[in-house]
Amino acid sequence: MTRRPAERIAPRRSRSILLCALLLATALGGCGGDQDDLRQYIEEVKARKTKDIEPIPQIKPYETFLYAPGARRDPFANAPAQKPLTGELGALIDPRRNREPLEEFPLDSLRLVGTLKIRDQKYALIRDPTGVVHRVTTGNYLGQNYGKITAIAETEINLREIVPDGFGGYLERQATITAGEQP
């Protein structure tokens, strides 16, 4: 009796499958190793005391405010220092005028750090956001809204700005820079 080719191959397959299973079991057995440190950490976490969650704060009811005008100004009226200006911006300012160094900074970033008086002329010392101190006088410009200095006092500078009104025109607005530290 002669063996068929299929019968000769079958024992080889079974040996190779058995060998693969043995290698897989050995490999997986190595993964099971010592897990005592993991179990110890889990026990430590479970043993920690829990902290109570703070309750949600109570919301206070809104208190209404009754506005009694009396001597107060009307909050919906335009401020008296603002007057509507008509025309194009170029007609309101001198377009040929060279811009001054302090006109590149927003007005709220400039600080008054001191004043001087030289031969009856008042000067203000302004610190820009870069830390440079500039000397200005009445008639100089500063801020990004064409602010022109109108008065210099010990603790403040008054100026007039020209700002858009949101309707295609412009407003003339009074502004002040006071003495103080830069934020």
Side-chain angles (χ1 to χ4, degrees):
M1 177 157 125
T2 61
R3 287 192 169 190
R4 295 183 193 149
E7 292 174 353
R8 283 188 248 159
I9 298 174
R12 289 184 191 165
R13 273 193 198 159
S14 63
R15 276 190 243 150
S16 60
I17 291 174
L18 184 62
L19 183 60
C20 286
L22 185 60
L23 287 173
L24 183 61
T26 306
L28 290 176
C31 293
D34 186 24
Q35 294 183 356
D36 291 337
D37 57 340
L38 178 61
R39 286 189 188 101
Q40 181 183 359
Y41 175 73
I42 291 172
E43 292 302 321
E44 284 177 20
V45 170
K46 286 182 180 179
R48 291 181 190 164
K49 292 184 180 181
T50 59
K51 296 179 182 175
D52 292 335
I53 298 174
E54 294 181 22
I56 297 174
Q58 292 293 330
I59 299 175
K60 295 178 183 176
Y62 175 74
E63 296 179 23
T64 58
F65 175 75
L66 181 60
Y67 179 75
R72 300 178 182 161
R73 76 171 185 85
D74 182 2
F76 302 103
N78 283 342
Q82 298 180 346
K83 12 181 202 176
L85 303 172
T86 57
E88 303 244 344
L89 183 61
L92 300 173
I93 61 166
D94 182 8
R96 297 173 303 206
R97 176 182 67 81
N98 289 332
R99 292 185 60 90
E100 296 183 24
L102 289 174
E103 288 185 272
E104 72 179 76
F105 302 107
L107 198 59
D108 62 348
S109 68
L110 302 174
R111 293 290 177 257
L112 174 65
V113 293
T115 57
L116 302 171
K117 188 170 185 180
I118 302 173
R119 294 189 193 104
D120 296 329
Q121 178 70 38
K122 278 188 176 180
Y123 294 96
L125 301 175
I126 302 288
R127 181 186 311 132
D128 68 23
T130 64
V132 176
V133 176
H134 303 264
R135 185 181 70 176
V136 295
T137 189
T138 305
N140 283 123
Y141 290 84
L142 47 99
Q144 295 175 328
N145 293 321
Y146 308 100
K148 185 175 185 178
I149 298 175
T150 57
I152 297 174
E154 286 273 328
T155 59
E156 68 182 19
I157 297 175
N158 296 320
L159 51 117
R160 177 188 51 88
E161 290 185 303
I162 299 173
V163 295
D165 66 358
F167 299 107
Y170 295 91
L171 289 174
E172 187 175 271
R173 172 176 75 182
Q174 298 297 321
T176 304
I177 297 177
T178 58
E181 286 299 313
Q182 193 167 2

